[in-house]
Amino acid sequence: MAKRLFSSESVTEGHPDKVADQISDAILDALLEQDEKSRVAVETMVTTGMAFVTGEISTKAYIDIPRIVRDTILEIGYTRAKYGFDGETCAVLSSIDEQSPDIALGVDKAREIKDGEELEENELSKVGAGDQGMMFGYATNETPEYMPLPIVLAHRLTKQLAMVRKAAKTDLIRPDGKAQVTVEYDEEGNAKRVDTVLISTQHEDVPYEEIRKAVVEQVIDPIIPQELRDKDMKILVNPTGRFVIGGPQGDAGLTGRKIIVDTYGGWIPHGGGAFSGKDPTKVDRSAHYMARYVAKNVVAAGLADKLMIQLAYAIGKAKPVSIMIDAYGTAKIDEDKLLEVISKTFDFRPGSIIQTLDLLRPIYKNTAAYGHFGRTDVEFPWEKLDAVSELQKNSGL
């Protein structure tokens, strides 16, 4: 039989698109810290010698955007002009407008209220979706992180690449970098081995052999488990042979261009919207978090070995227009019953999502590199397993 191979990639915090994501989320955090009701949709572009911030913000807060931009760039590691991008000397431009009042009409008071429906409780329960769209969540018991193995390994490699650079274990590595991992699966869907490991890292102008040796010994060897290796595992390091020019000098970066890296590595479909720079009234962000929270708790409760959930919203309406699940034949109860259990256990209105996951806090900058899901280095509320017992109770298991 042909090999069953699946690949996922991750990028470091110094990748230009991730630089843009982190700037956008740093601005969001600064606004939420002063005014939790801030409405934010910030986009960032970075290129050689310049960062440009634009978007829509409605807030009572005052923040120093250029300072936030510079501090974020410096924290990432762009501290020297020789990298082609330097947080102290780059130009910072901004063009910010207020949120459209047409959007605010539906967010502030959901369509259901205007149609005479009861949306009890409190102010948050009356929040309508900030846009239309579909959102996906997923969990699997394949790994302790409840994530697909290829994206778990890819993220570990990029985090290791950054750790080696920041800990000065080698002075050869610069901030920009990528990892890609290909895993071979058997017919039952179990991971057999790692087929290919690919690392591309920006580096000092030194011979290729030095870079390859440092990456293999200090990045790949500590991360790829021995039980997933064999003599046929392929290792590719900087396949072109040279990656000196990188970061925003080598490629312009934009907020929201790494949504597959942000989620499940391409294992499941992805909704149309990106996450970074958006406050939680935007269901592009908050409903993706809720979908992950639900899927992870369902799998942890033993109701399925893996689960995908899709949510869809209409702008201005609080309740989703559709909820769909797929347990890939692994559900321990009938899937129609499982959907009933999920609908009984969780409230998918945007305001209730914000309450359940406590999203009106400055927690977003940490999400903007190395994935939003399955993280063990930081605590995110959508990764909690606090709904397991209720799910088990409601399912009768």
Side-chain angles (χ1 to χ4, degrees):
M1 287 184 61
K3 292 182 180 179
R4 300 165 62 92
L5 303 175
F6 191 89
S7 301
S8 292
E9 75 159 349
S10 177
V11 299
T12 67
E13 64 212 69
H15 185 282
D17 293 329
K18 278 292 151 201
V19 173
D21 283 344
Q22 289 166 91
I23 290 171
S24 293
D25 273 338
I27 292 169
L28 171 63
D29 278 356
L31 291 164
L32 290 176
E33 193 167 12
Q34 295 183 36
D35 178 9
E36 66 175 21
K37 295 182 179 180
S38 296
R39 299 285 167 78
V40 185
V42 172
E43 313 288 342
T44 303
M45 181 191 77
V46 293
T47 187
T48 305
M50 187 186 79
F52 178 55
V53 179
T54 187
E56 299 77 46
I57 298 174
S58 295
T59 185
K60 295 178 181 177
Y62 173 78
I63 61 172
D64 184 348
I65 289 178
R67 188 69 263 163
I68 293 170
V69 172
R70 295 186 188 282
D71 287 347
T72 303
I73 293 168
L74 292 170
E75 287 170 15
I76 290 168
Y78 287 107
T79 58
R80 303 176 64 188
K82 69 180 293 187
Y83 296 160
F85 197 64
D86 174 14
E88 290 290 0
T89 62
C90 71
V92 178
L93 307 177
S94 64
S95 177
I96 302 294
D97 204 349
E98 287 187 274
Q99 182 188 55
S100 165
D102 295 344
I103 295 175
L105 277 173
V107 177
D108 295 337
K109 185 173 288 188
R111 182 75 243 175
E112 288 94 327
I113 296 173
K114 297 172 187 176
D115 292 342
E117 293 185 40
E118 290 293 327
L119 286 177
E120 73 293 333
E121 294 141 18
N122 52 45
E123 182 181 354
L124 271 179
S125 71
K126 301 173 183 177
V127 172
D131 202 352
Q132 71 179 50
M134 65 284 191
M135 299 82 202
F136 291 89
Y138 181 77
T140 172
N141 58 14
E142 178 181 3
T143 64
E145 295 89 349
Y146 294 90
M147 292 286 285
L149 180 62
I151 190 65
V152 168
L153 293 177
H155 283 321
R156 287 180 187 171
L157 287 168
T158 51
K159 282 190 279 189
Q160 180 73 6
L161 197 58
M163 186 280 292
V164 166
R165 170 175 62 86
K166 291 181 175 181
K169 293 192 174 184
T170 176
D171 59 358
L172 303 179
I173 295 173
R174 292 180 178 177
D176 193 0
K178 293 183 176 184
Q180 184 171 287
V181 178
T182 301
V183 175
E184 181 180 347
Y185 288 85
D186 63 23
E187 293 183 46
E188 286 72 44
N190 301 308
K192 291 177 57 179
R193 55 184 288 275
V194 172
D195 182 82
T196 306
V197 178
L198 166 60
I199 300 281
S200 294
T201 181
Q202 186 186 15
H203 58 84
E204 296 290 328
D205 194 0
V206 297
Y208 171 78
E209 291 72 19
E210 290 187 41
I211 300 300
R212 178 181 171 83
K213 183 174 186 293
V215 168
V216 171
E217 293 180 356
Q218 299 186 44
V219 179
I220 296 174
D221 285 348
I223 296 300
I224 302 300
Q226 287 297 323
E227 62 269 23
L228 292 175
R229 297 175 178 229
D230 62 20
K231 62 181 177 58
D232 296 320
M233 186 182 83
K234 298 179 284 293
I235 294 177
L236 304 175
V237 177
N238 287 7
T240 68
R242 181 179 171 86
F243 186 5
V244 174
I245 299 172
Q249 182 186 28
D251 188 13
L254 296 170
T255 298
R257 281 208 301 197
K258 284 292 176 283
I259 55 177
I260 296 299
V261 172
D262 286 341
T263 53
Y264 305 99
W267 193 269
I268 64 164
H270 195 288
F275 300 165
S276 291
K278 297 176 181 177
D279 75 84
T281 66
K282 279 73 171 174
V283 284
D284 279 339
R285 182 166 217 157
S286 56
H288 268 108
Y289 292 164
M290 188 65 177
R292 162 64 177 176
Y293 173 65
V294 172
K296 184 176 180 181
N297 275 268
V298 167
V299 173
L303 302 183
D305 294 334
K306 58 185 74 173
L307 183 78
M308 179 184 74
I309 178 169
Q310 186 207 48
L311 307 172
Y313 291 83
I315 187 168
K317 290 185 69 69
K319 297 176 182 178
V321 299
S322 69
I323 304 174
M324 184 277 290
I325 64 169
D326 186 354
Y328 307 94
T330 70
K332 311 309 177 186
I333 59 176
D334 182 79
E335 280 200 15
D336 290 338
K337 170 67 173 176
L338 180 56
L339 181 56
E340 288 180 16
V341 170
I342 289 170
S343 299
K344 179 180 179 180
T345 307
F346 301 99
D347 187 342
F348 292 97
R349 293 173 297 172
S352 296
I353 292 173
I354 291 169
Q355 275 192 316
T356 299
L357 301 181
D358 194 14
L359 297 179
L360 296 178
R361 298 179 292 139
I363 59 174
Y364 298 104
K365 185 181 175 184
N366 280 335
T367 68
Y370 309 116
H372 293 242
F373 307 127
R375 298 279 292 276
T376 57
D377 55 324
V378 289
E379 292 186 7
F380 294 140
W382 48 90
E383 293 295 318
K384 295 183 299 182
L385 292 174
D386 56 357
V388 168
S389 59
E390 187 176 359
L391 281 164
Q392 291 172 336
K393 176 183 175 183
N394 290 339
S395 69
L397 290 182

PDB file of all heavy atoms in Angstrom, residues 176-197:
ATOM      1  N   ASP A 176      13.867  34.594  12.229  1.00  0.00           N
ATOM      2  CA  ASP A 176      12.896  34.021  11.298  1.00  0.00           C
ATOM      3  C   ASP A 176      13.139  32.520  11.132  1.00  0.00           C
ATOM      4  O   ASP A 176      14.287  32.076  11.025  1.00  0.00           O
ATOM      5  CB  ASP A 176      13.008  34.725   9.942  1.00  0.00           C
ATOM      6  CG  ASP A 176      11.844  34.432   9.004  1.00  0.00           C
ATOM      7  OD1 ASP A 176      10.934  33.675   9.395  1.00  0.00           O
ATOM      8  OD2 ASP A 176      11.857  34.965   7.880  1.00  0.00           O
ATOM      9  N   GLY A 177      12.067  31.732  11.108  1.00  0.00           N
ATOM     10  CA  GLY A 177      12.247  30.300  10.925  1.00  0.00           C
ATOM     11  C   GLY A 177      10.936  29.564  10.740  1.00  0.00           C
ATOM     12  O   GLY A 177       9.862  30.072  11.065  1.00  0.00           O
ATOM     13  N   LYS A 178      11.043  28.342  10.217  1.00  0.00           N
ATOM     14  CA  LYS A 178       9.889  27.480   9.977  1.00  0.00           C
ATOM     15  C   LYS A 178      10.250  26.037  10.288  1.00  0.00           C
ATOM     16  O   LYS A 178      11.418  25.651  10.223  1.00  0.00           O
ATOM     17  CB  LYS A 178       9.447  27.537   8.507  1.00  0.00           C
ATOM     18  CG  LYS A 178       8.871  28.845   8.014  1.00  0.00           C
ATOM     19  CD  LYS A 178       8.435  28.681   6.557  1.00  0.00           C
ATOM     20  CE  LYS A 178       7.755  29.932   6.031  1.00  0.00           C
ATOM     21  NZ  LYS A 178       7.259  29.728   4.645  1.00  0.00           N
ATOM     22  N   ALA A 179       9.228  25.250  10.594  1.00  0.00           N
ATOM     23  CA  ALA A 179       9.394  23.800  10.722  1.00  0.00           C
ATOM     24  C   ALA A 179       8.225  23.119  10.034  1.00  0.00           C
ATOM     25  O   ALA A 179       7.110  23.653  10.015  1.00  0.00           O
ATOM     26  CB  ALA A 179       9.458  23.384  12.183  1.00  0.00           C
ATOM     27  N   GLN A 180       8.478  21.948   9.482  1.00  0.00           N
ATOM     28  CA  GLN A 180       7.418  21.137   8.877  1.00  0.00           C
ATOM     29  C   GLN A 180       7.701  19.680   9.210  1.00  0.00           C
ATOM     30  O   GLN A 180       8.833  19.218   9.083  1.00  0.00           O
ATOM     31  CB  GLN A 180       7.382  21.340   7.365  1.00  0.00           C
ATOM     32  CG  GLN A 180       6.251  20.609   6.654  1.00  0.00           C
ATOM     33  CD  GLN A 180       6.139  21.032   5.204  1.00  0.00           C
ATOM     34  OE1 GLN A 180       5.686  22.123   4.885  1.00  0.00           O
ATOM     35  NE2 GLN A 180       6.582  20.156   4.308  1.00  0.00           N
ATOM     36  N   VAL A 181       6.671  18.979   9.641  1.00  0.00           N
ATOM     37  CA  VAL A 181       6.819  17.581  10.051  1.00  0.00           C
ATOM     38  C   VAL A 181       5.834  16.725   9.273  1.00  0.00           C
ATOM     39  O   VAL A 181       4.635  17.045   9.206  1.00  0.00           O
ATOM     40  CB  VAL A 181       6.578  17.409  11.560  1.00  0.00           C
ATOM     41  CG1 VAL A 181       6.689  15.941  11.960  1.00  0.00           C
ATOM     42  CG2 VAL A 181       7.573  18.255  12.361  1.00  0.00           C
ATOM     43  N   THR A 182       6.326  15.639   8.700  1.00  0.00           N
ATOM     44  CA  THR A 182       5.485  14.671   7.994  1.00  0.00           C
ATOM     45  C   THR A 182       5.448  13.385   8.810  1.00  0.00           C
ATOM     46  O   THR A 182       6.491  12.814   9.128  1.00  0.00           O
ATOM     47  CB  THR A 182       6.046  14.379   6.589  1.00  0.00           C
ATOM     48  OG1 THR A 182       6.107  15.595   5.845  1.00  0.00           O
ATOM     49  CG2 THR A 182       5.174  13.379   5.855  1.00  0.00           C
ATOM     50  N   VAL A 183       4.236  12.949   9.153  1.00  0.00           N
ATOM     51  CA  VAL A 183       4.043  11.740   9.956  1.00  0.00           C
ATOM     52  C   VAL A 183       3.373  10.676   9.101  1.00  0.00           C
ATOM     53  O   VAL A 183       2.445  10.966   8.337  1.00  0.00           O
ATOM     54  CB  VAL A 183       3.176  12.040  11.202  1.00  0.00           C
ATOM     55  CG1 VAL A 183       2.868  10.754  11.976  1.00  0.00           C
ATOM     56  CG2 VAL A 183       3.890  13.045  12.109  1.00  0.00           C
ATOM     57  N   GLU A 184       3.847   9.444   9.231  1.00  0.00           N
ATOM     58  CA  GLU A 184       3.218   8.313   8.546  1.00  0.00           C
ATOM     59  C   GLU A 184       2.231   7.639   9.488  1.00  0.00           C
ATOM     60  O   GLU A 184       2.555   7.355  10.656  1.00  0.00           O
ATOM     61  CB  GLU A 184       4.269   7.303   8.089  1.00  0.00           C
ATOM     62  CG  GLU A 184       3.665   6.119   7.335  1.00  0.00           C
ATOM     63  CD  GLU A 184       4.706   5.103   6.879  1.00  0.00           C
ATOM     64  OE1 GLU A 184       5.914   5.431   6.928  1.00  0.00           O
ATOM     65  OE2 GLU A 184       4.297   3.987   6.488  1.00  0.00           O
ATOM     66  N   TYR A 185       1.016   7.364   8.975  1.00  0.00           N
ATOM     67  CA  TYR A 185      -0.041   6.719   9.749  1.00  0.00           C
ATOM     68  C   TYR A 185      -0.351   5.346   9.176  1.00  0.00           C
ATOM     69  O   TYR A 185      -0.214   5.116   7.963  1.00  0.00           O
ATOM     70  CB  TYR A 185      -1.314   7.576   9.725  1.00  0.00           C
ATOM     71  CG  TYR A 185      -1.210   8.835  10.564  1.00  0.00           C
ATOM     72  CD1 TYR A 185      -0.639   9.996  10.053  1.00  0.00           C
ATOM     73  CD2 TYR A 185      -1.670   8.850  11.878  1.00  0.00           C
ATOM     74  CE1 TYR A 185      -0.538  11.140  10.823  1.00  0.00           C
ATOM     75  CE2 TYR A 185      -1.573   9.985  12.662  1.00  0.00           C
ATOM     76  CZ  TYR A 185      -1.009  11.134  12.125  1.00  0.00           C
ATOM     77  OH  TYR A 185      -0.896  12.264  12.905  1.00  0.00           O
ATOM     78  N   ASP A 186      -0.807   4.442  10.052  1.00  0.00           N
ATOM     79  CA  ASP A 186      -1.240   3.133   9.572  1.00  0.00           C
ATOM     80  C   ASP A 186      -2.707   3.199   9.133  1.00  0.00           C
ATOM     81  O   ASP A 186      -3.344   4.258   9.194  1.00  0.00           O
ATOM     82  CB  ASP A 186      -1.007   2.047  10.630  1.00  0.00           C
ATOM     83  CG  ASP A 186      -1.811   2.274  11.912  1.00  0.00           C
ATOM     84  OD1 ASP A 186      -2.854   2.978  11.858  1.00  0.00           O
ATOM     85  OD2 ASP A 186      -1.425   1.732  12.964  1.00  0.00           O
ATOM     86  N   GLU A 187      -3.253   2.066   8.703  1.00  0.00           N
ATOM     87  CA  GLU A 187      -4.620   2.044   8.169  1.00  0.00           C
ATOM     88  C   GLU A 187      -5.658   2.389   9.221  1.00  0.00           C
ATOM     89  O   GLU A 187      -6.755   2.862   8.904  1.00  0.00           O
ATOM     90  CB  GLU A 187      -4.923   0.668   7.565  1.00  0.00           C
ATOM     91  CG  GLU A 187      -4.111   0.349   6.322  1.00  0.00           C
ATOM     92  CD  GLU A 187      -4.498  -0.996   5.734  1.00  0.00           C
ATOM     93  OE1 GLU A 187      -5.710  -1.265   5.615  1.00  0.00           O
ATOM     94  OE2 GLU A 187      -3.585  -1.780   5.422  1.00  0.00           O
ATOM     95  N   GLU A 188      -5.332   2.170  10.493  1.00  0.00           N
ATOM     96  CA  GLU A 188      -6.264   2.485  11.571  1.00  0.00           C
ATOM     97  C   GLU A 188      -6.141   3.937  12.030  1.00  0.00           C
ATOM     98  O   GLU A 188      -6.849   4.374  12.947  1.00  0.00           O
ATOM     99  CB  GLU A 188      -6.024   1.569  12.772  1.00  0.00           C
ATOM    100  CG  GLU A 188      -6.515   0.139  12.575  1.00  0.00           C
ATOM    101  CD  GLU A 188      -5.640  -0.635  11.607  1.00  0.00           C
ATOM    102  OE1 GLU A 188      -4.397  -0.531  11.715  1.00  0.00           O
ATOM    103  OE2 GLU A 188      -6.199  -1.330  10.732  1.00  0.00           O
ATOM    104  N   GLY A 189      -5.226   4.694  11.413  1.00  0.00           N
ATOM    105  CA  GLY A 189      -5.068   6.095  11.778  1.00  0.00           C
ATOM    106  C   GLY A 189      -4.119   6.337  12.933  1.00  0.00           C
ATOM    107  O   GLY A 189      -4.102   7.433  13.506  1.00  0.00           O
ATOM    108  N   ASN A 190      -3.299   5.350  13.269  1.00  0.00           N
ATOM    109  CA  ASN A 190      -2.319   5.509  14.343  1.00  0.00           C
ATOM    110  C   ASN A 190      -0.976   5.952  13.773  1.00  0.00           C
ATOM    111  O   ASN A 190      -0.533   5.448  12.734  1.00  0.00           O
ATOM    112  CB  ASN A 190      -2.137   4.188  15.096  1.00  0.00           C
ATOM    113  CG  ASN A 190      -3.429   3.687  15.692  1.00  0.00           C
ATOM    114  OD1 ASN A 190      -4.113   4.415  16.400  1.00  0.00           O
ATOM    115  ND2 ASN A 190      -3.779   2.435  15.407  1.00  0.00           N
ATOM    116  N   ALA A 191      -0.317   6.879  14.463  1.00  0.00           N
ATOM    117  CA  ALA A 191       0.986   7.350  14.007  1.00  0.00           C
ATOM    118  C   ALA A 191       2.022   6.238  14.114  1.00  0.00           C
ATOM    119  O   ALA A 191       2.181   5.629  15.173  1.00  0.00           O
ATOM    120  CB  ALA A 191       1.413   8.558  14.833  1.00  0.00           C
ATOM    121  N   LYS A 192       2.715   5.962  13.012  1.00  0.00           N
ATOM    122  CA  LYS A 192       3.739   4.918  12.990  1.00  0.00           C
ATOM    123  C   LYS A 192       5.128   5.491  13.195  1.00  0.00           C
ATOM    124  O   LYS A 192       5.937   4.951  13.963  1.00  0.00           O
ATOM    125  CB  LYS A 192       3.703   4.178  11.652  1.00  0.00           C
ATOM    126  CG  LYS A 192       2.491   3.309  11.416  1.00  0.00           C
ATOM    127  CD  LYS A 192       2.531   2.682  10.033  1.00  0.00           C
ATOM    128  CE  LYS A 192       3.796   1.872   9.789  1.00  0.00           C
ATOM    129  NZ  LYS A 192       3.811   1.253   8.435  1.00  0.00           N
ATOM    130  N   ARG A 193       5.431   6.583  12.475  1.00  0.00           N
ATOM    131  CA  ARG A 193       6.791   7.114  12.471  1.00  0.00           C
ATOM    132  C   ARG A 193       6.782   8.512  11.883  1.00  0.00           C
ATOM    133  O   ARG A 193       5.830   8.928  11.224  1.00  0.00           O
ATOM    134  CB  ARG A 193       7.698   6.228  11.604  1.00  0.00           C
ATOM    135  CG  ARG A 193       7.170   6.048  10.191  1.00  0.00           C
ATOM    136  CD  ARG A 193       7.998   5.093   9.360  1.00  0.00           C
ATOM    137  NE  ARG A 193       9.285   5.676   8.985  1.00  0.00           N
ATOM    138  CZ  ARG A 193       9.461   6.453   7.927  1.00  0.00           C
ATOM    139  NH1 ARG A 193       8.449   6.756   7.112  1.00  0.00           N
ATOM    140  NH2 ARG A 193      10.643   6.937   7.648  1.00  0.00           N
ATOM    141  N   VAL A 194       7.854   9.238  12.155  1.00  0.00           N
ATOM    142  CA  VAL A 194       8.072  10.515  11.491  1.00  0.00           C
ATOM    143  C   VAL A 194       8.827  10.247  10.205  1.00  0.00           C
ATOM    144  O   VAL A 194       9.904   9.630  10.219  1.00  0.00           O
ATOM    145  CB  VAL A 194       8.861  11.485  12.395  1.00  0.00           C
ATOM    146  CG1 VAL A 194       9.257  12.735  11.617  1.00  0.00           C
ATOM    147  CG2 VAL A 194       8.023  11.870  13.607  1.00  0.00           C
ATOM    148  N   ASP A 195       8.251  10.676   9.100  1.00  0.00           N
ATOM    149  CA  ASP A 195       8.861  10.417   7.802  1.00  0.00           C
ATOM    150  C   ASP A 195       9.873  11.498   7.429  1.00  0.00           C
ATOM    151  O   ASP A 195      10.965  11.186   6.949  1.00  0.00           O
ATOM    152  CB  ASP A 195       7.777  10.344   6.725  1.00  0.00           C
ATOM    153  CG  ASP A 195       8.340  10.031   5.353  1.00  0.00           C
ATOM    154  OD1 ASP A 195       8.581   8.838   5.093  1.00  0.00           O
ATOM    155  OD2 ASP A 195       8.540  10.964   4.553  1.00  0.00           O
ATOM    156  N   THR A 196       9.510  12.776   7.644  1.00  0.00           N
ATOM    157  CA  THR A 196      10.386  13.881   7.243  1.00  0.00           C
ATOM    158  C   THR A 196      10.304  15.012   8.253  1.00  0.00           C
ATOM    159  O   THR A 196       9.216  15.372   8.717  1.00  0.00           O
ATOM    160  CB  THR A 196       9.987  14.429   5.857  1.00  0.00           C
ATOM    161  OG1 THR A 196       9.953  13.359   4.914  1.00  0.00           O
ATOM    162  CG2 THR A 196      10.955  15.503   5.389  1.00  0.00           C
ATOM    163  N   VAL A 197      11.456  15.575   8.585  1.00  0.00           N
ATOM    164  CA  VAL A 197      11.546  16.784   9.392  1.00  0.00           C
ATOM    165  C   VAL A 197      12.243  17.851   8.562  1.00  0.00           C
ATOM    166  O   VAL A 197      13.349  17.627   8.060  1.00  0.00           O
ATOM    167  CB  VAL A 197      12.333  16.551  10.703  1.00  0.00           C
ATOM    168  CG1 VAL A 197      12.441  17.846  11.501  1.00  0.00           C
ATOM    169  CG2 VAL A 197      11.678  15.464  11.532  1.00  0.00           C
TER     170      VAL A 197
END
